Each structure stands twice: as C-alpha cells, then as structure tokens.
Amino acid sequence: MRRRRFLHTTLGGAAAMGAAGWNGAGDRPDRPHPQSVRDLFPRLEGETFLNGAGGTPLGDFTDEAIQRYVDMMRLGPGDGRGAWWGDVWGRVRGRFADLIGADAAEVGLVESTKAGEQLVLDALPGLRSGANVVTNDLHFSGSLHNLEGLRRAGVDVRFVPSDDFRVSLDRMADAIDDRTELVTVSLVSNVTGHVEDIRALADLAHGHGALLFADIIQAAGIVPIDVRSMGIDVAACSSYKWLYGIHGAGFLYVAREHQGAAIADDRFPGTARRRYPPFAVDGEAGTLSFAPRESADRYRPGHVNYLGYAAVDAGLGFIAEHGVESMLAHTVRLNRRLLDQLDRDRYRVLSSHLYASPILALAVPDAEGLRTRLQAADVVIGVGGDVHNLARISPAIYNTEEDVDRLAEVLSL
C-alpha cells in the first residue's frame, strides 16, 4: 500500500511538473497539497513534528530504499536487485552535486559533517606552523568543541563572538589576516537559522589566501546552494536532516581546483600547504605504484554506510521532485503563520533570516515547563540544546497550517 502511494505521488508528480514546464523559480505550479506528502511520513500520524532541523522522520520512500538494499544483501543481486543498487551507487554523488551546483567529480563520501571538516583541518600543515583558523560562535557546537581542543593544543583558533545571535561581517574581517589558513562556518546556523553572508566571507578568506569551509547540514535540501557562486572551497553535511536520509552517510564537496598537488607557501617556511584533503592512496611504496582514485571519490574512507546511501538517494529523489525553493517557501509560510499568533512579549524572536532559513528560534522564559506542555500535546520541536532557554521550530514540506496552529496553542498556555 505504501509503495503504491509513493509511486503514485512521486512518478505522477514528476510527470505533471514536466508537463507544466516549471522553470525552477518560486512555487511549482502544481505543488502537491501538503497532505499528500504528509501521508508518506507515518510518524506524523501520532505526533505534530516540527523539528526537521533535528532530523526529518523516515519517509515511506526511504523505508522502501532501505528494504530494497536489505533484500539485495539477504537474497542476492538477482531479479533486478543488483541493477537497482548499481543505479543508486552510480548516481548518488551526482544527485547531491546537482543539489549544490557542483560536479559529481567534486563530491566524495564521508560518514558525517564533522568528518569532512576534520579532513580539511588535517590537510593544512600550516596550522601547526603559526597559521590560524577563524570561526564564530554560531558554528556547530561539536565543531567548536573540536576547534577549542586544537586551540588548547597550541593552534591559533579565533572565535568571533556573535551579538544577539547575529554575526557581524566586520568582526569576521577583523579576525582574518594573512596568516589565516581556514575560515570555517555553518552556512545556516543550527542554533537560530542565521545565514552567513557566505560570498562576502569567501571573498575575505580568499583575499588573504585562506580556504572557506562551510557546514551545510542545515542548508542542503532546504536552502538553495550554489557552491561556485558562493565561493565555497570545501563543504560537508550528513544526510539525516533535510536530505531525508539516515545517520552515518554524508557528503564532502571539494572544488576541483583544490584537488591537486601541495602548494608551497612562503608564509610558513618548511611547509607545503595542501589546498585539499589528502589523497586516500597516493605516491609510491617500494616497487608498487599506487594511483589515487580519480575525483573527490578519493576521500571515501574505504567501505561506507551503503544502506545509508540507498536511503539518501531516495531522499534526494524526493527533494528533486518537490524542489528546494518550494520546500523553503512552504517552511517560511508556516513560520510566518506561527509568528502571527505569537505573544512577542513572552517569546523573543532570535532568528534574523526568517525568509531565507527554515529555522525559527525563540527565547523562552520557562524551557522545562514548555517541554512538559509539548510532551503532553505530542508536539515535537527543539528545546534547549546549545542554548538552554531557546526553542527551535523547523517545519518541513510534510507540515500543515494545522500543525503550527497546534504549536501556537501550546505556546499560549
């Protein structure tokens, strides 16, 4: 039953979009009613789930892909199972590349966002010879913890503070200098949905010879990304949030021009600065020559979470069907509807990019009390986490006006 519903919604919707000649701008003319999408997510039958930034629920389409992979491993590649998996494995990097405006050759596979960021940190020997890293406090907390560890180990790590959950480009500019090797930020902050002025930040970094890394986990699949026009050198994300996948399967983007030989850098004598994460296999060993895998696939750490890539391939298909612009527009409409019902004296809005981000963050006077009310009403949002007295709302394409009205009712209690 769920398979038939998925095929009808997915294939029928795709055919209709082609016939309508949708050009990729604004809402699709035949945008499916949220209820038809909602039916693909069984978790929504028992919960009002408004926490896509924490991880989207497992959809029927993802469940089907997981089961097909399990069947292939359990029963073998016969009856088309091997051909299906060959298609998935052959296209998943290209599908992600299309999503972010890259080429498939610039996309590699990593287990998580932080793993991708760590590859970049490990590939910059100047960091151990007097260079510095610049970030800000709206970057992901796990990354900040890692960078603080590097700082304690002697690396010059510069943390630019936000002001009322907004990061000033001028403050970032003051921290970046000619000894900066890496500027690392979250394109969309998981805390408040703050959207970095990424092109301007890239220009600052490049003007000083530094690379720009972007954590795109809160953007890929819900916010339009063009890595080239944005000036992003390296980016990474996991797939369990807005890509509708599961944990343990992520993507690494490395611009083609940074996949090459080490570059001598006279700012750091005795080092040859790599402008890319290192090859998986490179150079010579004894009489045997090892050629690196071509393209960004060289960064794949041997075997990966194949089941996870079966899942995210289905998620990427779902996103391609509905369109990132339409999905973001739907999310923004729902967040604006909630704001229209909100007591602004009781809940202060912390988000500064309400039209460009799926995340609406509120300062709450009683986080523990709010958790209790939400649990009693079977409403799921993010409360606490990186900032204790903060509520984070992040609806997705499967949510309806009734969902945000239900949340507004809980917030009014």
Side-chain angles (χ1 to χ4, degrees):
M1 216 26 215
R2 291 191 298 178
R3 175 181 170 83
R4 288 198 297 273
R5 185 169 68 231
F6 166 68
L7 292 174
H8 172 75
T9 303
T10 302
L11 300 182
M17 283 183 284
W22 182 73
N23 63 7
D27 284 347
R28 295 174 182 265
D30 64 334
R31 182 172 59 87
H33 188 278
Q35 185 60 46
S36 65
V37 176
R38 188 182 184 87
D39 289 343
L40 299 174
F41 295 87
R43 181 172 179 174
L44 304 182
E45 296 174 7
E47 289 181 340
T48 300
F49 189 89
L50 293 156
N51 191 26
T56 48
L58 197 68
D60 285 354
F61 50 92
T62 310
D63 180 40
E64 179 188 3
I66 290 171
Q67 292 305 316
R68 292 189 72 173
Y69 181 80
V70 170
D71 285 347
M72 188 192 71
M73 297 301 292
R74 183 170 62 94
L75 303 173
D79 295 330
R81 290 182 292 270
W84 165 81
W85 174 243
D87 289 342
V88 170
W89 188 244
R91 74 187 173 215
V92 68
R93 290 168 57 221
R95 275 186 160 178
F96 181 76
D98 290 343
L99 183 70
I100 65 170
D103 293 330
E106 296 175 302
V107 173
L109 306 179
V110 291
E111 61 268 31
S112 67
T113 315
K114 278 183 63 180
E117 186 176 26
Q118 188 62 51
L119 279 171
V120 182
L121 291 167
D122 290 343
L124 299 174
L127 296 183
R128 288 161 288 283
S129 304
N132 65 71
V133 181
V134 175
T135 187
N136 61 56
D137 62 7
L138 291 185
H139 195 15
F140 174 54
S141 59
S143 293
L144 294 177
H145 182 270
N146 187 37
L147 290 167
E148 172 60 15
L150 289 180
R151 188 193 67 80
R152 294 185 183 190
V155 176
D156 183 2
V157 180
R158 301 174 179 182
F159 299 92
V160 176
S162 59
D163 181 11
D164 196 25
F165 296 99
R166 290 161 175 79
V167 178
S168 163
L169 187 63
D170 289 339
R171 283 189 177 181
M172 292 294 289
D174 289 342
I176 299 169
D177 60 27
D178 286 341
R179 297 188 71 80
T180 301
E181 277 229 284
L182 182 68
V183 177
T184 178
V185 295
S186 293
L187 177 55
V188 176
S189 169
N190 70 299
V191 181
T192 65
H194 169 86
V195 181
E196 291 283 353
D197 188 350
I198 203 71
R199 177 71 254 186
L201 201 54
D203 289 343
L204 280 172
H206 298 160
H208 290 279
L211 296 180
L212 177 70
F213 172 86
D215 172 339
I216 57 174
I217 193 172
Q218 295 292 1
I222 189 62
V223 171
I225 298 174
D226 186 323
V227 287
R228 291 198 179 87
S229 67
M230 289 176 169
I232 296 171
D233 298 301
V234 189
C237 70
S238 298
S239 60
Y240 63 94
K241 295 183 186 285
W242 303 103
L243 297 182
Y244 298 91
I246 61 176
H247 291 81
F251 295 97
L252 173 70
Y253 160 76
V254 183
R256 189 186 302 273
E257 60 267 27
H258 299 311
Q259 299 178 35
I263 298 173
D265 193 332
D266 56 11
R267 297 181 301 168
F268 312 110
T271 70
R273 184 171 63 155
R274 292 183 182 270
R275 299 300 300 272
Y276 57 87
F279 288 130
V281 181
D282 195 8
E284 296 185 357
T287 60
L288 299 177
S289 294
F290 293 86
R293 291 194 296 265
E294 294 299 321
S295 79
D297 190 46
R298 57 170 60 102
Y299 311 124
R300 173 163 50 94
H303 286 293
V304 294
N305 180 2
Y306 299 110
L307 185 147
Y309 289 105
V312 71
D313 174 73
L316 289 165
F318 175 77
I319 293 165
E321 176 197 348
H322 296 291
V324 172
E325 293 88 351
S326 289
M327 296 170 95
L328 179 60
H330 180 75
T331 291
V332 167
R333 280 194 295 270
L334 294 181
N335 280 337
R336 297 302 302 183
R337 182 180 179 90
L338 178 63
L339 284 173
D340 289 343
Q341 304 176 64
L342 196 67
D343 181 348
R344 299 292 188 92
D345 292 329
R346 185 178 179 189
Y347 299 102
R348 186 166 67 93
V349 177
L350 304 178
S351 300
S352 57
H353 293 88
L354 295 173
Y355 292 95
S357 166
I359 295 173
L360 169 60
L362 308 173
V364 298
D366 178 15
E368 192 57 42
L370 177 58
R371 284 194 198 93
T372 300
R373 298 195 302 276
L374 290 166
Q375 185 174 9
D378 290 322
V379 176
V380 180
I381 63 173
V383 180
D386 292 339
V387 181
H388 177 67
N389 292 314
L390 178 147
R392 187 183 67 182
I393 299 105
S394 47
I397 188 64
Y398 45 69
N399 288 118
T400 63
E401 293 180 351
E402 290 76 15
D403 289 337
V404 295
D405 292 348
R406 178 63 175 146
L407 173 59
E409 180 183 347
V410 174
L411 291 172
S412 70
L413 297 176

